[in-house]
């Protein structure tokens, strides 16, 4: 299967750590990229590759992969981190992309 | 710094063709892969397809029969055409640059997005 499955939602207390997972067979051969998406804004790349952050993304965002699961970790979540988060990767064919189902992160 | 801007009609009638253009500034449309992505109201992100200026294209299998991507290097733009639209094609459409290689890929930067509504 080329689907990427994410938990629908998760809540985290301000300043605490939250991990968002993304499961899919295609992750065994391709790294995931992660996007933060807030209402009315364009998605924002936060992690790509093994664990790379674009310029301007705080170091509280980190990524990892184990087997068929990619994870995005926010260490010390801030109020502004409240958003939908999507993973993305190539599908099994390698020619197409697929997005995860998305995880809504609520910061309490 | 590359910036992208989508443009096109915000309202399309059912069964007609949706046409959008993405203007690339601060970069060269002939040097990278470029993708279109959409988000229907209340739903998640969906990759539509990508293209390279030499005509190499890849389409989401679920949309392949209705989608055409093209590039105009003289205007530094790339375009999306989606024919036979229905209400299910109502979405915010984004253009983005497709970066990376065989093991890792990422979309950055993104256009601000444009809402296209399919309605009579």
């Amino acid at each position: 299967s080329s689907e990427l499955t994410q938990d629908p939602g998760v809540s985290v207390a301000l300043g605490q750590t939250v991990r968002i997972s993304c499961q899919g067979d295609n992750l065994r051969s391709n790294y995931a990229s992660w996007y933060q998406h807030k209402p009315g804004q364009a998605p924002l790349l936060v992690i790509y590759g093994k664990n790379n952050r674009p310029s301007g993304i705080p170091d509280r965002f980190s990524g990892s992969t184990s087997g068929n699961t990619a994870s995005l970790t926010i260490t010390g979540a801030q109020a502004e981190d409240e958003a939908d988060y999507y993973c993305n990767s190539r599908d099994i064919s390698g020619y197409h992309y697929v997005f995860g189902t998305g995880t809504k992160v609520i910061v309490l | 710094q590359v910036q992208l801007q989508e443009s096109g009609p915000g309202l399309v009638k059912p069964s007609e063709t949706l046409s959008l253009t993405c203007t690339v500034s601060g970069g060269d449309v002939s040097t990278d892969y470029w993708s279109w992505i959409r988000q229907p109201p209340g739903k998640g992100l969906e990759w539509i397809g990508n293209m390279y200026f030499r005509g190499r294209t890849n389409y989401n299998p679920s949309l392949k029969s209705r989608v055409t991507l093209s590039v105009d290097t003289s205007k530094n733009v790339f375009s999306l055409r989606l024919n036979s639209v229905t209400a299910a094609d109502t979405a915010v459409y984004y253009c983005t640059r497709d970066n990376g290689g065989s093991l890792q890929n990422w979309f950055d930067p993104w256009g601000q997005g444009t809402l296209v509504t399919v309605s009579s």
Side-chain angles (χ1 to χ4, degrees):
Chain A
S1 171
S2 292
E3 296 179 346
L4 294 177
T5 303
Q6 298 180 239
D7 291 331
V10 63
S11 60
V12 56
L14 186 67
Q16 295 304 300
T17 296
V18 62
R19 174 173 288 185
I20 304 163
S21 65
C22 171
Q23 280 193 308
D25 289 340
N26 28 325
L27 297 177
R28 296 185 186 277
S29 53
N30 292 281
Y31 287 111
S33 53
W34 289 92
Y35 303 87
Q36 177 190 72
H37 197 196
K38 297 180 180 179
Q41 299 183 17
L44 176 68
L45 174 71
V46 294
I47 290 289
Y48 66 97
K50 190 174 183 180
N51 181 20
N52 301 299
R53 281 178 291 106
S55 173
I57 300 301
D59 61 5
R60 62 178 179 272
F61 290 90
S62 63
S64 62
T65 302
S66 178
N68 72 337
T69 301
S71 299
L72 173 70
T73 301
I74 308 174
T75 304
Q78 301 299 302
E80 60 264 32
D81 299 334
E82 187 163 292
D84 293 327
Y85 289 83
Y86 294 90
C87 58
N88 177 271
S89 186
R90 290 186 181 276
D91 72 358
I92 292 293
S93 77
Y95 292 101
H96 313 123
Y97 293 102
V98 60
F99 280 94
T101 48
T103 297
K104 178 177 288 293
V105 172
I106 296 174
V107 180
L108 304 173
Chain B
Q1 181 182 353
V2 176
Q3 293 184 312
L4 307 178
Q5 177 68 59
E6 304 89 351
S7 59
L11 181 63
V12 181
K13 290 181 169 54
S15 80
E16 296 191 346
T17 297
L18 179 159
S19 295
L20 295 175
T21 295
C22 183
T23 300
V24 179
S25 57
D28 186 347
V29 73
S30 65
T31 60
D32 290 291
Y33 277 84
W34 306 91
S35 275
W36 287 95
I37 290 163
R38 69 180 183 179
Q39 184 180 39
K43 297 188 176 181
L45 298 172
E46 179 181 36
W47 178 75
I48 298 170
N50 70 357
M51 72 167 304
Y52 187 59
F53 85 103
R54 292 193 185 278
R56 188 178 305 168
T57 55
N58 296 291
Y59 299 130
N60 186 321
S62 69
L63 298 169
K64 184 177 181 178
S65 63
R66 299 193 293 128
V67 173
T68 302
L69 302 187
S70 61
V71 64
D72 186 337
T73 56
S74 67
K75 297 180 180 178
N76 215 36
V77 304
F78 61 103
S79 301
L80 162 71
R81 287 174 59 86
L82 179 66
N83 58 36
S84 304
V85 298
T86 70
D89 296 310
T90 294
V92 176
Y93 286 76
Y94 298 97
C95 58
T96 181
R97 185 174 61 186
D98 189 342
N99 305 272
S102 58
L103 295 180
Q104 58 181 16
N105 299 86
W106 63 95
F107 300 116
D108 183 66
W110 295 62
Q112 66 183 28
T114 187
L115 174 62
V116 179
T117 301
V118 178
S119 174
S120 55

